[in-house]
Amino acid sequence: MLNLILFGPPGAGKGTQSEKLIATYNLKHISTGDLLRAERQAGTELGNQANEYIAKGELVPDAVVIGMVRNYMQSHAEAAGFIFDGFPRTIPQAEALDQMLNEFNTSISMVLGLEVNEDELVKRLLLRGQTSGRVDDQSEETIRNRFHEYLNKTLPIQGYYSDQNKYHGINGLGEIGEINSELCKWIDSVN
Ligand code: AP5
Ligand code: MG
């Protein structure tokens, strides 16, 4: 199985690049943000509770997202591999993911990090907020809070994967197609 983590701060392009990669490599896309928004859309209790965190730009509790990922993987057991987008976001999530993949007799193949500076992220997300309807794209304060959550809680997992020689950072600024080519180059080097 080819199991990739697309890593990076809010607005780095994880969703945009995942869409391209799933088509090229026939992978299943797991975006915990998309799964949480779908729960909210469906009006479930989980979705409503998660939305309170999302609206403030804070992370949703680990147990909630780990459970969602487990369910998704179990219902796509025949997949050729997965792209994890926006997950894991904390060390406990990374440890839980390793354990879940181990149950599937597989592991993370590589972690590709999209590196983009904070001001560019704020610019991208405020622009998207004009049309996305995403509750967390509406104010600069919320967007910067998402970025600070990333620095405090998510960035440490870069070290977790660097220690396993699995992390590769990629410049996330520039043309979407060029960034995609760069990602494919790394994936093809192990695949
Ligand atoms: P989530 O949905 O994961 O959002 P995020 O990581 O904050 O970031 P985005 O999805 O906004 O950005 P992206 O990197 O996917 O970039 P995109 O391609 O969209 O999480 C939302 C919330 O859910 C979290 O804050 C948290 O509350 C909760 N949550 C989710 N997962 C969780 C977890 N595991 N644990 C706990 N809580 C969790 O691109 C962004 C914009 O930039 C788009 O408009 C795009 O068109 C544009 N763009 C893309 N590439 C380029 C480029 N190269 N140049 C110019 N513009 C570009
Ligand atoms: Mg996304």
Side-chain angles (χ1 to χ4, degrees), residues 146-178:
R146 287 160 64 190
F147 186 72
H148 292 134
E149 285 277 89
Y150 166 79
L151 290 182
N152 293 331
K153 298 177 182 166
T154 305
L155 200 52
I157 68 175
Q158 186 176 315
Y160 179 87
Y161 291 109
S162 295
D163 289 347
Q164 301 174 40
N165 289 320
K166 289 184 175 175
Y167 181 83
H168 299 289
I170 280 160
N171 181 10
L173 287 174
E175 291 290 328
I176 288 169
E178 281 172 21

mmCIF file of all heavy atoms in Angstrom, residues 146-178:
data_model
loop_
_atom_site.group_PDB
_atom_site.id
_atom_site.type_symbol
_atom_site.label_atom_id
_atom_site.label_comp_id
_atom_site.label_asym_id
_atom_site.label_seq_id
_atom_site.Cartn_x
_atom_site.Cartn_y
_atom_site.Cartn_z
ATOM 1 N N ARG A 146 -5.808 29.385 13.840
ATOM 2 C CA ARG A 146 -5.561 28.063 13.233
ATOM 3 C C ARG A 146 -4.069 27.855 13.032
ATOM 4 O O ARG A 146 -3.547 26.774 13.272
ATOM 5 C CB ARG A 146 -6.286 27.959 11.876
ATOM 6 C CG ARG A 146 -7.783 27.820 12.016
ATOM 7 C CD ARG A 146 -8.524 28.192 10.748
ATOM 8 N NE ARG A 146 -8.245 27.329 9.614
ATOM 9 C CZ ARG A 146 -8.636 27.590 8.367
ATOM 10 N NH1 ARG A 146 -9.321 28.702 8.099
ATOM 11 N NH2 ARG A 146 -8.359 26.757 7.392
ATOM 12 N N PHE A 147 -3.390 28.927 12.580
ATOM 13 C CA PHE A 147 -1.948 28.820 12.343
ATOM 14 C C PHE A 147 -1.197 28.591 13.666
ATOM 15 O O PHE A 147 -0.268 27.791 13.734
ATOM 16 C CB PHE A 147 -1.434 30.076 11.627
ATOM 17 C CG PHE A 147 0.008 29.982 11.231
ATOM 18 C CD1 PHE A 147 0.400 29.151 10.196
ATOM 19 C CD2 PHE A 147 0.983 30.710 11.902
ATOM 20 C CE1 PHE A 147 1.744 29.039 9.830
ATOM 21 C CE2 PHE A 147 2.325 30.613 11.545
ATOM 22 C CZ PHE A 147 2.696 29.773 10.506
ATOM 23 N N HIS A 148 -1.639 29.259 14.740
ATOM 24 C CA HIS A 148 -0.962 29.081 16.027
ATOM 25 C C HIS A 148 -1.208 27.679 16.592
ATOM 26 O O HIS A 148 -0.301 27.080 17.175
ATOM 27 C CB HIS A 148 -1.349 30.194 17.000
ATOM 28 C CG HIS A 148 -0.799 31.520 16.545
ATOM 29 N ND1 HIS A 148 -1.537 32.666 16.516
ATOM 30 C CD2 HIS A 148 0.429 31.836 16.023
ATOM 31 C CE1 HIS A 148 -0.785 33.653 16.005
ATOM 32 N NE2 HIS A 148 0.399 33.166 15.699
ATOM 33 N N GLU A 149 -2.397 27.150 16.387
ATOM 34 C CA GLU A 149 -2.662 25.752 16.779
ATOM 35 C C GLU A 149 -1.703 24.825 16.024
ATOM 36 O O GLU A 149 -1.165 23.875 16.577
ATOM 37 C CB GLU A 149 -4.108 25.354 16.434
ATOM 38 C CG GLU A 149 -5.150 25.928 17.359
ATOM 39 C CD GLU A 149 -5.309 25.107 18.628
ATOM 40 O OE1 GLU A 149 -4.589 25.400 19.602
ATOM 41 O OE2 GLU A 149 -6.144 24.189 18.656
ATOM 42 N N TYR A 150 -1.505 25.139 14.750
ATOM 43 C CA TYR A 150 -0.581 24.342 13.921
ATOM 44 C C TYR A 150 0.832 24.392 14.512
ATOM 45 O O TYR A 150 1.486 23.355 14.692
ATOM 46 C CB TYR A 150 -0.601 24.870 12.482
ATOM 47 C CG TYR A 150 0.532 24.358 11.633
ATOM 48 C CD1 TYR A 150 0.491 23.078 11.076
ATOM 49 C CD2 TYR A 150 1.671 25.137 11.406
ATOM 50 C CE1 TYR A 150 1.551 22.600 10.315
ATOM 51 C CE2 TYR A 150 2.725 24.668 10.644
ATOM 52 C CZ TYR A 150 2.662 23.404 10.107
ATOM 53 O OH TYR A 150 3.716 22.926 9.374
ATOM 54 N N LEU A 151 1.298 25.629 14.829
ATOM 55 C CA LEU A 151 2.663 25.753 15.366
ATOM 56 C C LEU A 151 2.821 25.000 16.684
ATOM 57 O O LEU A 151 3.810 24.303 16.901
ATOM 58 C CB LEU A 151 3.012 27.232 15.600
ATOM 59 C CG LEU A 151 3.204 28.110 14.369
ATOM 60 C CD1 LEU A 151 3.593 29.520 14.802
ATOM 61 C CD2 LEU A 151 4.269 27.543 13.429
ATOM 62 N N ASN A 152 1.819 25.136 17.556
ATOM 63 C CA ASN A 152 1.944 24.575 18.907
ATOM 64 C C ASN A 152 1.734 23.072 18.949
ATOM 65 O O ASN A 152 2.423 22.367 19.666
ATOM 66 C CB ASN A 152 0.924 25.230 19.856
ATOM 67 C CG ASN A 152 1.247 26.692 20.093
ATOM 68 O OD1 ASN A 152 2.410 27.091 20.031
ATOM 69 N ND2 ASN A 152 0.228 27.494 20.343
ATOM 70 N N LYS A 153 0.737 22.581 18.202
ATOM 71 C CA LYS A 153 0.323 21.179 18.391
ATOM 72 C C LYS A 153 0.680 20.276 17.223
ATOM 73 O O LYS A 153 0.853 19.076 17.406
ATOM 74 C CB LYS A 153 -1.192 21.120 18.627
ATOM 75 C CG LYS A 153 -1.606 21.856 19.886
ATOM 76 C CD LYS A 153 -3.102 21.857 20.091
ATOM 77 C CE LYS A 153 -3.470 22.654 21.333
ATOM 78 N NZ LYS A 153 -4.898 22.957 21.365
ATOM 79 N N THR A 154 0.751 20.850 16.013
ATOM 80 C CA THR A 154 0.922 19.995 14.829
ATOM 81 C C THR A 154 2.375 19.933 14.370
ATOM 82 O O THR A 154 2.862 18.855 14.009
ATOM 83 C CB THR A 154 0.008 20.491 13.685
ATOM 84 O OG1 THR A 154 -1.336 20.540 14.187
ATOM 85 C CG2 THR A 154 0.070 19.567 12.487
ATOM 86 N N LEU A 155 3.063 21.065 14.407
ATOM 87 C CA LEU A 155 4.446 21.078 13.916
ATOM 88 C C LEU A 155 5.344 20.025 14.588
ATOM 89 O O LEU A 155 6.211 19.443 13.922
ATOM 90 C CB LEU A 155 5.033 22.489 14.053
ATOM 91 C CG LEU A 155 6.251 22.803 13.190
ATOM 92 C CD1 LEU A 155 6.031 22.471 11.726
ATOM 93 C CD2 LEU A 155 6.628 24.283 13.340
ATOM 94 N N PRO A 156 5.132 19.718 15.894
ATOM 95 C CA PRO A 156 5.977 18.685 16.515
ATOM 96 C C PRO A 156 5.938 17.332 15.792
ATOM 97 O O PRO A 156 6.909 16.567 15.877
ATOM 98 C CB PRO A 156 5.401 18.553 17.927
ATOM 99 C CG PRO A 156 4.812 19.898 18.215
ATOM 100 C CD PRO A 156 4.275 20.389 16.900
ATOM 101 N N ILE A 157 4.879 17.038 15.060
ATOM 102 C CA ILE A 157 4.870 15.726 14.402
ATOM 103 C C ILE A 157 5.779 15.699 13.166
ATOM 104 O O ILE A 157 6.097 14.633 12.677
ATOM 105 C CB ILE A 157 3.458 15.194 14.076
ATOM 106 C CG1 ILE A 157 2.769 15.996 13.013
ATOM 107 C CG2 ILE A 157 2.608 15.102 15.309
ATOM 108 C CD1 ILE A 157 1.432 15.389 12.630
ATOM 109 N N GLN A 158 6.219 16.885 12.732
ATOM 110 C CA GLN A 158 7.235 16.897 11.667
ATOM 111 C C GLN A 158 8.500 16.183 12.170
ATOM 112 O O GLN A 158 9.092 15.377 11.453
ATOM 113 C CB GLN A 158 7.544 18.339 11.277
ATOM 114 C CG GLN A 158 8.465 18.459 10.079
ATOM 115 C CD GLN A 158 8.658 19.918 9.680
ATOM 116 O OE1 GLN A 158 7.713 20.711 9.615
ATOM 117 N NE2 GLN A 158 9.884 20.290 9.412
ATOM 118 N N GLY A 159 8.856 16.455 13.415
ATOM 119 C CA GLY A 159 10.018 15.798 14.022
ATOM 120 C C GLY A 159 9.785 14.303 14.209
ATOM 121 O O GLY A 159 10.700 13.499 14.023
ATOM 122 N N TYR A 160 8.554 13.956 14.539
ATOM 123 C CA TYR A 160 8.187 12.541 14.736
ATOM 124 C C TYR A 160 8.494 11.742 13.467
ATOM 125 O O TYR A 160 9.031 10.641 13.527
ATOM 126 C CB TYR A 160 6.692 12.499 15.078
ATOM 127 C CG TYR A 160 6.078 11.132 15.293
ATOM 128 C CD1 TYR A 160 6.112 10.517 16.547
ATOM 129 C CD2 TYR A 160 5.423 10.468 14.254
ATOM 130 C CE1 TYR A 160 5.517 9.276 16.751
ATOM 131 C CE2 TYR A 160 4.824 9.234 14.447
ATOM 132 C CZ TYR A 160 4.878 8.635 15.704
ATOM 133 O OH TYR A 160 4.281 7.411 15.897
ATOM 134 N N TYR A 161 8.174 12.322 12.304
ATOM 135 C CA TYR A 161 8.408 11.612 11.041
ATOM 136 C C TYR A 161 9.839 11.829 10.520
ATOM 137 O O TYR A 161 10.367 10.948 9.848
ATOM 138 C CB TYR A 161 7.370 12.005 9.993
ATOM 139 C CG TYR A 161 5.994 11.486 10.346
ATOM 140 C CD1 TYR A 161 4.981 12.342 10.764
ATOM 141 C CD2 TYR A 161 5.719 10.118 10.295
ATOM 142 C CE1 TYR A 161 3.730 11.855 11.119
ATOM 143 C CE2 TYR A 161 4.469 9.623 10.641
ATOM 144 C CZ TYR A 161 3.478 10.504 11.052
ATOM 145 O OH TYR A 161 2.249 10.012 11.406
ATOM 146 N N SER A 162 10.438 12.987 10.826
ATOM 147 C CA SER A 162 11.846 13.193 10.429
ATOM 148 C C SER A 162 12.726 12.149 11.102
ATOM 149 O O SER A 162 13.652 11.612 10.494
ATOM 150 C CB SER A 162 12.346 14.574 10.850
ATOM 151 O OG SER A 162 11.646 15.562 10.175
ATOM 152 N N ASP A 163 12.408 11.855 12.359
ATOM 153 C CA ASP A 163 13.192 10.851 13.089
ATOM 154 C C ASP A 163 13.121 9.484 12.416
ATOM 155 O O ASP A 163 14.002 8.656 12.576
ATOM 156 C CB ASP A 163 12.689 10.725 14.541
ATOM 157 C CG ASP A 163 13.049 11.947 15.366
ATOM 158 O OD1 ASP A 163 13.874 12.748 14.899
ATOM 159 O OD2 ASP A 163 12.498 12.099 16.477
ATOM 160 N N GLN A 164 12.037 9.254 11.663
ATOM 161 C CA GLN A 164 11.881 7.976 10.945
ATOM 162 C C GLN A 164 12.338 8.107 9.487
ATOM 163 O O GLN A 164 12.062 7.228 8.673
ATOM 164 C CB GLN A 164 10.412 7.539 10.966
ATOM 165 C CG GLN A 164 9.826 7.342 12.350
ATOM 166 C CD GLN A 164 8.322 7.062 12.280
ATOM 167 O OE1 GLN A 164 7.831 6.351 11.418
ATOM 168 N NE2 GLN A 164 7.569 7.643 13.209
ATOM 169 N N ASN A 165 12.975 9.249 9.158
ATOM 170 C CA ASN A 165 13.414 9.544 7.783
ATOM 171 C C ASN A 165 12.274 9.506 6.785
ATOM 172 O O ASN A 165 12.443 9.064 5.641
ATOM 173 C CB ASN A 165 14.511 8.578 7.327
ATOM 174 C CG ASN A 165 15.806 8.846 8.053
ATOM 175 O OD1 ASN A 165 16.155 10.005 8.268
ATOM 176 N ND2 ASN A 165 16.483 7.796 8.455
ATOM 177 N N LYS A 166 11.090 9.960 7.188
ATOM 178 C CA LYS A 166 9.940 9.895 6.286
ATOM 179 C C LYS A 166 9.466 11.274 5.831
ATOM 180 O O LYS A 166 8.588 11.376 4.994
ATOM 181 C CB LYS A 166 8.774 9.160 6.970
ATOM 182 C CG LYS A 166 9.045 7.671 7.102
ATOM 183 C CD LYS A 166 7.861 6.917 7.676
ATOM 184 C CE LYS A 166 8.167 5.423 7.668
ATOM 185 N NZ LYS A 166 7.095 4.658 8.321
ATOM 186 N N TYR A 167 10.020 12.326 6.418
ATOM 187 C CA TYR A 167 9.529 13.682 6.104
ATOM 188 C C TYR A 167 10.326 14.337 4.986
ATOM 189 O O TYR A 167 11.556 14.350 5.012
ATOM 190 C CB TYR A 167 9.593 14.582 7.353
ATOM 191 C CG TYR A 167 9.068 15.966 7.064
ATOM 192 C CD1 TYR A 167 7.706 16.234 7.092
ATOM 193 C CD2 TYR A 167 9.935 17.007 6.718
ATOM 194 C CE1 TYR A 167 7.220 17.495 6.789
ATOM 195 C CE2 TYR A 167 9.455 18.279 6.411
ATOM 196 C CZ TYR A 167 8.095 18.508 6.452
ATOM 197 O OH TYR A 167 7.613 19.754 6.141
ATOM 198 N N HIS A 168 9.598 14.889 3.999
ATOM 199 C CA HIS A 168 10.223 15.713 2.960
ATOM 200 C C HIS A 168 9.447 17.022 2.854
ATOM 201 O O HIS A 168 8.241 16.999 2.618
ATOM 202 C CB HIS A 168 10.170 15.025 1.594
ATOM 203 C CG HIS A 168 10.894 13.729 1.570
ATOM 204 N ND1 HIS A 168 12.266 13.631 1.628
ATOM 205 C CD2 HIS A 168 10.429 12.472 1.531
ATOM 206 C CE1 HIS A 168 12.620 12.368 1.620
ATOM 207 N NE2 HIS A 168 11.536 11.636 1.565
ATOM 208 N N GLY A 169 10.133 18.141 3.010
ATOM 209 C CA GLY A 169 9.488 19.439 2.862
ATOM 210 C C GLY A 169 9.575 19.910 1.418
ATOM 211 O O GLY A 169 10.577 19.679 0.738
ATOM 212 N N ILE A 170 8.482 20.540 0.961
ATOM 213 C CA ILE A 170 8.410 21.029 -0.420
ATOM 214 C C ILE A 170 7.916 22.471 -0.400
ATOM 215 O O ILE A 170 7.036 22.823 0.393
ATOM 216 C CB ILE A 170 7.455 20.111 -1.223
ATOM 217 C CG1 ILE A 170 8.232 18.860 -1.620
ATOM 218 C CG2 ILE A 170 6.878 20.780 -2.459
ATOM 219 C CD1 ILE A 170 7.393 17.714 -1.975
ATOM 220 N N ASN A 171 8.472 23.307 -1.283
ATOM 221 C CA ASN A 171 8.020 24.697 -1.352
ATOM 222 C C ASN A 171 6.575 24.729 -1.858
ATOM 223 O O ASN A 171 6.293 24.292 -2.967
ATOM 224 C CB ASN A 171 8.953 25.474 -2.291
ATOM 225 C CG ASN A 171 8.580 26.927 -2.401
ATOM 226 O OD1 ASN A 171 7.725 27.419 -1.638
ATOM 227 N ND2 ASN A 171 9.203 27.623 -3.331
ATOM 228 N N GLY A 172 5.672 25.234 -1.032
ATOM 229 C CA GLY A 172 4.245 25.270 -1.384
ATOM 230 C C GLY A 172 3.825 26.561 -2.056
ATOM 231 O O GLY A 172 2.637 26.803 -2.249
ATOM 232 N N LEU A 173 4.814 27.415 -2.410
ATOM 233 C CA LEU A 173 4.510 28.669 -3.114
ATOM 234 C C LEU A 173 4.723 28.456 -4.600
ATOM 235 O O LEU A 173 5.687 27.792 -4.994
ATOM 236 C CB LEU A 173 5.463 29.771 -2.656
ATOM 237 C CG LEU A 173 5.259 30.347 -1.263
ATOM 238 C CD1 LEU A 173 6.384 31.321 -0.935
ATOM 239 C CD2 LEU A 173 3.908 31.048 -1.159
ATOM 240 N N GLY A 174 3.850 29.017 -5.407
ATOM 241 C CA GLY A 174 4.036 28.928 -6.858
ATOM 242 C C GLY A 174 2.850 28.260 -7.529
ATOM 243 O O GLY A 174 1.767 28.143 -6.941
ATOM 244 N N GLU A 175 3.079 27.820 -8.757
ATOM 245 C CA GLU A 175 2.011 27.231 -9.569
ATOM 246 C C GLU A 175 1.561 25.879 -8.998
ATOM 247 O O GLU A 175 2.405 25.045 -8.649
ATOM 248 C CB GLU A 175 2.521 26.993 -11.000
ATOM 249 C CG GLU A 175 2.772 28.248 -11.800
ATOM 250 C CD GLU A 175 1.469 28.948 -12.173
ATOM 251 O OE1 GLU A 175 0.455 28.250 -12.379
ATOM 252 O OE2 GLU A 175 1.480 30.180 -12.224
ATOM 253 N N ILE A 176 0.249 25.658 -8.957
ATOM 254 C CA ILE A 176 -0.298 24.405 -8.436
ATOM 255 C C ILE A 176 0.269 23.198 -9.204
ATOM 256 O O ILE A 176 0.639 22.185 -8.607
ATOM 257 C CB ILE A 176 -1.846 24.455 -8.490
ATOM 258 C CG1 ILE A 176 -2.344 25.441 -7.410
ATOM 259 C CG2 ILE A 176 -2.469 23.070 -8.303
ATOM 260 C CD1 ILE A 176 -3.807 25.798 -7.494
ATOM 261 N N GLY A 177 0.370 23.322 -10.523
ATOM 262 C CA GLY A 177 0.871 22.225 -11.350
ATOM 263 C C GLY A 177 2.330 21.905 -11.065
ATOM 264 O O GLY A 177 2.728 20.734 -11.028
ATOM 265 N N GLU A 178 3.116 22.944 -10.832
ATOM 266 C CA GLU A 178 4.547 22.717 -10.550
ATOM 267 C C GLU A 178 4.738 22.053 -9.189
ATOM 268 O O GLU A 178 5.600 21.186 -9.021
ATOM 269 C CB GLU A 178 5.318 24.046 -10.592
ATOM 270 C CG GLU A 178 5.628 24.488 -12.004
ATOM 271 C CD GLU A 178 6.220 25.896 -12.068
ATOM 272 O OE1 GLU A 178 6.756 26.372 -11.036
ATOM 273 O OE2 GLU A 178 6.129 26.501 -13.150
#
